[in-house]
Amino acid sequence: MAPRDPKDGGGAGGGGGGAAEPEADIEAPLLASSGSSFFLDPAGEDGDEEQRRRRRRFLLGSHTQSNTTSQVALVGSDVCPIQSLDYELIENDVFKQDWRARGRGHILRYVALKWVLCFLVGALAAAAGFVANLGVENVAGAKFVVTSNLMLDGKHGSAFAVFLASNFALTMLAAVLTVFVAPAAAGSGIPEVKAYLNGVDAPNIFSLKTLIVKVVGCIAAVSSSLHVGKAGPLVHTGACIASILGQGGSRKYHMTCKWLRYFKNDRDRRDLVTCGSAAGIAAAFRAPVGGVLFALETVSSWWRSALLWRAFFTTAMVAVVLRALIDFCKSGKCGLFGKGGLIMFDVTADYVTYHLVDLPSVITLGVFGGILGSLYNFFLDKVLRLYNLINEKGKTYKLLLAATVTVCTSCCLFGLPWIASCKPCPTDTEEACPSIGRSGNFKKFQCGMNEYNDLASLFFNTNDDTIRNLYSAGNDDEFHISSILVFFAASYFLGIFSYGLALPSGLFVPVILTGAAYGRLVAMLIGSQSTLDHGLFAVLGSAALLGGSMRMTVSVCVVILELTNNLLMLPLVMLVLLISKVVADAFNANVYDLLVRLKGFPHLEGYAEPYMRQLSVSDVVTGPLQTFSGIEKVGQIVHVLKTTGHNGFPVVDEPPFSDSPTLYGLILRDHLLVLLRKKDFIGSCTASTLNASKHFTHDEFAKRGSGKQDRIENIELSAEELEMFVDLHPFTNTSPYTVLETMSLAKALILFREVGLRHLLVLPKSSKGAPVVGILTRHDFMPEHILGLHPFLFKTRWKKVRLGKLNVTNIL
């Protein structure tokens, strides 16, 4: 990585010797190469079209230019500025006085409101999941009914036209809404949630319009027969609901509630968003315990017992509300919804038996599941980089890409069943054969009466119904091996090519579906050596592919058990997950870590790289450092805020206010903007007698909504005011976290991440000279920045990377 501009100092959520992050959370340009840089325009937009292309190409264009320390990241389908969150508790005169003024009633109301918000998040996430399923079941169901009826009448051309046109219209609806209304709603949203919970914020990731487009676009995209799922979008939806409630609603759309605006800090909002992400999985799969474990294992970077209880309460509310809504639909008032059930695959054998002879088959399933899962991630990485080259050309190309993929998908889904031979209807089934309508294992397609097309039965159903068919017990002879092979190959690659389009889409359900086909295929090939049912193989196949792609073990295990409502499979599911994860870890990272890196989020891992132990914090701190005096001239503050992007500034007292230069604390850019807007200045450079707690309230310094911030350009000051002074002492955090310059970088990283810091002050070992050496921010811990400053570490890092594929770092 090229050196940063000396004027800018620190980095993306990170910094260096500079005072800290910029307004977009990185003082440095995104790329400083050959004298060219990527700068954010004053409005924080993407800039002109050429600049957008360069940014996108830098983020995802090639492995040689990957940079996770950039001041921008790919949020949804657009490049946006990012900034770090600050979980540190501010301790200054104003905040201390606010806490002293709070009585027992305030504290009880604060605790009670946490539980009330958890209840609301759970209820609303359940409602969102219900609406998503209701929409998919009815929209997709109506499409399949019309198509099946036309096929039944022998109007094959008309059936294809209806199928293609409806899929095209639904895909374009989702893509247009995403591209023109809420670009942050594209994709699953899990990488964005994961980055947020790691301490990275971006504009509009949790806005009201993102929430609406996420739900509507998810319904349209899943109903369009694209191989995408709704689990990921529902995780993002739950996080959006939690964030909006935590900040008191949406002021932009005049939908606010004063009593909800209580959590005006990053710590409380982080906890609420964590509960929202757990509620999303619970709503997607009716898996409350799995939702909690998913939040713990996959998206959360900080966890504690109190958060565990609130997350569990939230997902319990999801289960209760969903159950009530499902009971309402059983009365027949929800259209097609309910005829296939709600994401509950209670279809396996009532009693599962397995013996020692079954272990070789299960182990084989896990090994190849790990290989296929790692290949899935590899191909997905290549496809996303290709899509980026197309999407960077503008909105029209995003729509053309979505249109091309949906047309190709529709042709595959309608054309492939023609290569399958017709099979006679079984005589011992309770289900009607052939199936007339939306769901069922026996689609007639082009076959005659009393015959069915097994491949069409897999393609011409919603994802949920197809999974249910594959999981079903006692139907080992209903699918031909060639049909299962074709379906597996098609699902595998269609899932890869469908993700990355500019529309809401998830990976969880497509991987489950592909894994179910993989399990059936293995059962047909080596099932004679085992006593297990083919439906059980399908369940284990889903677990194997999930373990190989997403590398989740505990949460996936519980989700699978809650999906199938069969606890007897627990040992086999655990074995398959462990084997597939270990095998896949030997090749590449899990899919969500891959997506976080591809999008350019500066994600901090929970462990230090071995080469960081060879460096001290002084080895990565770069300057110059911008500081303020305890009593500073207004004009100097305005000049610094306009000419730098730093987010935090050390406050240093100098004679005559102290015997020698002394570090007083750290003051944030946002707090300086509040002081400038209030204009409580003093005429001379003397200590102020102003009682800050009487002139300022805690709410004036409270954190604004996600991705929102004030700007120095919006504050107008006269020439006379610029010559005045402001006393920064009452507003300075007097207890910022500090480390000595001799501390190892690895040790500093653990402190930085575990506490959830945005700034970490570096102090000199000697008392002589300046009282502060620099500031560490998120940027300074990014491998690209460190290895750019110290190229000799590449050799040692490569050795770690080779071993790191087996997660040796985590084990140590």
Side-chain angles (χ1 to χ4, degrees):
M1 177 177 173
R4 291 169 292 173
D5 188 329
K7 301 189 297 298
D8 291 328
E21 299 99 309
E23 207 163 341
D25 211 35
I26 296 189
E27 297 87 344
L30 175 59
L31 178 63
S33 177
S34 303
S36 64
S37 301
F38 298 117
F39 291 99
L40 297 177
D41 64 309
E45 300 293 338
D46 291 332
D48 57 40
E49 191 66 24
E50 179 60 27
Q51 192 179 46
R52 272 179 75 187
R53 293 181 185 179
R54 292 164 63 202
R55 284 176 179 163
R56 282 181 169 277
R57 191 175 298 113
F58 175 74
L59 280 174
L60 296 177
S62 68
H63 289 285
T64 59
Q65 287 186 316
S66 65
N67 179 12
T68 57
T69 66
S70 64
Q71 62 184 355
V72 294
L74 194 60
V75 180
S77 63
D78 265 12
V79 176
C80 298
I82 56 175
Q83 62 175 344
S84 284
L85 300 171
D86 194 349
Y87 301 131
E88 181 182 1
L89 293 176
I90 302 296
E91 293 183 347
N92 57 31
D93 292 348
V94 175
F95 283 80
K96 287 179 181 178
Q97 186 61 34
D98 177 72
W99 277 102
R100 291 191 190 102
R102 295 188 180 186
R104 182 179 179 86
H106 287 85
I107 297 175
L108 290 176
R109 185 160 57 248
Y110 171 73
V111 174
L113 190 56
K114 283 186 176 183
W115 291 97
V116 171
L117 286 177
C118 288
F119 170 79
L120 292 175
V121 169
L124 292 176
F130 177 78
V131 169
N133 281 281
L134 183 69
V136 171
E137 291 284 331
N138 282 282
V139 174
K143 176 187 70 177
F144 285 126
V145 166
V146 173
T147 304
S148 297
N149 289 339
L150 289 172
M151 291 295 293
L152 190 64
D153 295 336
K155 301 177 180 178
H156 301 158
S158 300
F160 174 67
V162 170
F163 185 70
L164 177 62
S166 58
N167 287 344
F168 183 85
L170 290 168
T171 301
M172 287 297 99
L173 172 63
V176 168
L177 286 175
T178 303
V179 170
F180 292 102
V181 179
S188 68
I190 291 181
E192 285 78 4
V193 174
K194 184 179 177 72
Y196 180 86
L197 294 179
N198 189 256
V200 181
D201 194 13
N204 298 318
I205 55 172
F206 298 137
S207 67
L208 181 61
K209 64 179 182 181
T210 299
L211 170 62
I212 295 173
V213 171
K214 200 75 177 185
V215 175
V216 176
C218 173
I219 294 173
V222 177
S223 300
S224 69
S225 292
L226 287 174
H227 268 56
V228 297
K230 49 187 177 289
L234 284 177
V235 171
H236 194 184
T237 298
C240 287
I241 293 171
S243 179
I244 292 172
L245 288 176
Q247 65 191 37
S250 175
R251 186 174 298 176
K252 179 179 179 181
Y253 298 102
H254 307 289
M255 299 173 63
T256 59
C257 185
K258 186 175 182 180
W259 69 275
L260 282 177
R261 293 198 298 271
Y262 205 96
F263 302 118
K264 295 186 177 181
N265 62 81
D266 290 330
R267 294 171 64 91
D268 287 324
R269 288 179 184 171
R270 173 193 67 189
D271 291 350
L272 205 55
V273 169
T274 303
C275 294
S277 63
I281 286 293
F285 298 115
R286 274 171 62 193
V289 179
V292 175
L293 294 175
F294 172 83
L296 169 62
E297 186 177 9
T298 305
V299 297
S300 178
S301 295
W302 291 275
W303 198 266
R304 60 188 189 281
S305 59
L307 180 58
L308 174 66
W309 280 104
R310 285 198 294 273
F312 186 72
F313 174 74
T314 305
T315 57
M317 291 302 101
V318 173
V320 171
V321 173
L322 273 181
R323 183 72 263 172
L325 293 172
I326 292 171
D327 290 341
F328 171 77
C329 278
K330 286 184 177 179
S331 62
K333 298 179 181 179
C334 297
L336 292 169
F337 180 83
K339 293 185 178 180
L342 175 70
I343 344 162
M344 175 62 82
F345 310 129
D346 186 9
V347 289
T348 53
D350 294 333
Y351 184 71
V352 177
T353 59
Y354 42 87
H355 307 87
L356 189 62
V357 70
D358 300 319
L359 289 183
S361 300
V362 173
I363 292 173
T364 301
L365 194 71
V367 170
F368 285 98
I371 296 173
L372 289 171
S374 62
L375 284 173
Y376 191 92
N377 295 355
F378 174 79
F379 291 133
L380 185 64
D381 172 71
K382 300 301 181 183
V383 169
L384 289 177
R385 293 179 185 276
L386 173 63
Y387 282 2
N388 175 72
L389 297 176
I390 300 173
N391 289 334
E392 70 179 13
K393 297 181 180 180
K395 296 178 179 180
T396 302
Y397 285 86
K398 294 178 182 178
L399 299 178
L400 287 175
L401 178 60
T404 301
V405 173
T406 191
V407 169
C408 293
T409 300
S410 298
C411 292
C412 287
L413 298 183
F414 196 90
L416 288 176
W418 291 90
I419 66 176
S421 58
C422 297
K423 300 188 66 174
C425 289
T427 57
D428 57 348
T429 179
E430 297 179 358
E431 183 179 343
C433 181
S435 303
I436 306 299
R438 176 180 57 91
S439 61
N441 284 342
F442 308 106
K443 290 290 184 180
K444 179 177 179 295
F445 205 64
Q446 88 286 10
C447 300
M449 293 306 297
N450 299 322
E451 291 182 329
Y452 72 98
N453 187 315
D454 57 348
L455 191 53
S457 301
L458 297 173
F459 281 132
F460 276 76
N461 270 318
T462 61
N463 289 339
D464 290 347
D465 288 329
T466 302
I467 294 171
R468 188 174 294 104
N469 293 342
L470 291 171
Y471 281 7
S472 296
N475 61 353
D476 294 0
D477 298 325
E478 289 181 6
F479 302 102
H480 194 273
I481 187 172
S482 61
S483 298
I484 292 293
L485 177 61
V486 171
F487 179 75
F488 164 70
S491 298
Y492 190 88
F493 290 104
L494 287 178
I496 292 172
F497 284 102
S498 296
Y499 192 81
L501 303 178
L503 44 78
S505 56
L507 286 170
F508 217 109
V509 172
V511 172
I512 291 177
L513 176 62
T514 305
Y518 160 67
R520 281 268 178 175
L521 182 62
V522 171
M524 292 178 175
L525 292 174
I526 63 174
S528 59
Q529 310 298 320
S530 172
T531 63
L532 300 180
D533 182 84
H534 287 195
L536 181 55
F537 265 103
V539 175
L540 297 177
S542 294
L545 205 57
L546 284 170
S549 176
M550 301 182 180
R551 315 294 159 80
M552 297 181 290
T553 53
V554 180
S555 56
V556 166
C557 182
V558 174
V559 167
I560 290 290
L561 296 179
E562 290 182 293
L563 276 177
T564 56
N565 197 27
N566 200 324
L567 192 60
L568 296 174
M569 296 188 302
L570 177 60
L572 295 180
V573 174
M574 291 174 62
L575 179 63
V576 164
L577 282 169
L578 290 172
I579 293 173
S580 62
K581 182 186 186 306
V582 169
V583 171
D585 278 340
F587 297 100
N588 51 30
N590 73 73
V591 68
Y592 292 127
D593 285 346
L594 170 71
L595 292 174
V596 167
R597 286 199 297 268
L598 283 175
K599 286 175 171 289
F601 290 114
H603 186 274
L604 291 177
E605 298 294 343
Y607 55 88
E609 301 279 6
Y611 62 82
M612 290 184 178
R613 306 183 191 279
Q614 305 175 37
L615 301 173
S616 64
V617 294
S618 60
D619 293 325
V620 298
V621 167
T622 56
L625 177 65
Q626 178 65 58
T627 64
F628 285 129
S629 299
I631 299 177
E632 187 61 77
K633 190 175 182 180
V634 174
Q636 174 65 9
I637 295 176
V638 172
H639 171 73
V640 171
L641 293 183
K642 285 186 175 181
T643 56
T644 70
H646 305 330
N647 184 76
F649 303 88
V651 176
V652 177
D653 277 338
E654 299 180 349
F657 301 103
S658 62
D659 295 334
S660 61
T662 304
L663 175 66
Y664 185 80
L666 183 78
I667 190 166
L668 301 180
R669 167 184 283 265
D670 291 341
H671 294 178
L672 288 172
L673 293 175
V674 173
L675 297 179
L676 294 178
R677 188 180 298 104
K678 199 73 177 271
K679 298 183 179 181
D680 279 339
F681 306 141
I682 53 179
S684 60
C685 186
T686 58
S688 174
T689 59
L690 174 72
N691 188 338
S693 62
K694 293 183 178 180
H695 289 75
F696 295 87
T697 64
H698 172 268
D699 289 342
E700 291 181 272
F701 295 93
K703 173 80 174 183
R704 300 188 64 187
S706 177
K708 301 174 183 177
Q709 57 187 12
D710 293 325
R711 299 187 58 80
I712 182 62
E713 289 79 10
N714 298 331
I715 299 176
E716 297 182 359
L717 297 170
S718 64
E720 181 181 356
E721 290 170 331
L722 292 175
E723 296 299 320
M724 300 181 73
F725 295 85
V726 59
D727 189 351
L728 302 180
H729 292 101
F731 315 99
T732 300
N733 180 12
T734 56
S735 58
Y737 282 86
T738 61
V739 296
L740 288 177
E741 60 180 341
T742 54
M743 176 182 282
S744 72
L745 190 61
K747 196 172 181 179
L749 170 63
I750 299 303
L751 172 65
F752 191 94
R753 186 185 185 276
E754 292 302 317
V755 180
L757 300 178
R758 187 172 186 176
H759 312 98
L760 183 59
L761 297 183
V762 180
L763 305 184
K765 188 174 180 61
S766 172
S767 59
K768 300 178 181 180
V772 58
V773 175
I775 294 183
L776 287 176
T777 52
R778 180 175 293 264
H779 171 81
D780 296 284
F781 297 103
M782 293 295 106
E784 289 76 9
H785 168 64
I786 299 170
L787 298 175
L789 293 175
H790 305 283
F792 71 91
L793 293 171
F794 267 109
K795 183 177 296 186
T796 59
R797 183 175 185 269
W798 174 248
K799 294 178 181 178
K800 181 268 164 189
V801 169
R802 298 296 297 175
L803 294 173
K805 292 176 179 177
L806 294 175
N807 284 342
V808 172
T809 304
N810 287 329
I811 296 173
L812 297 176

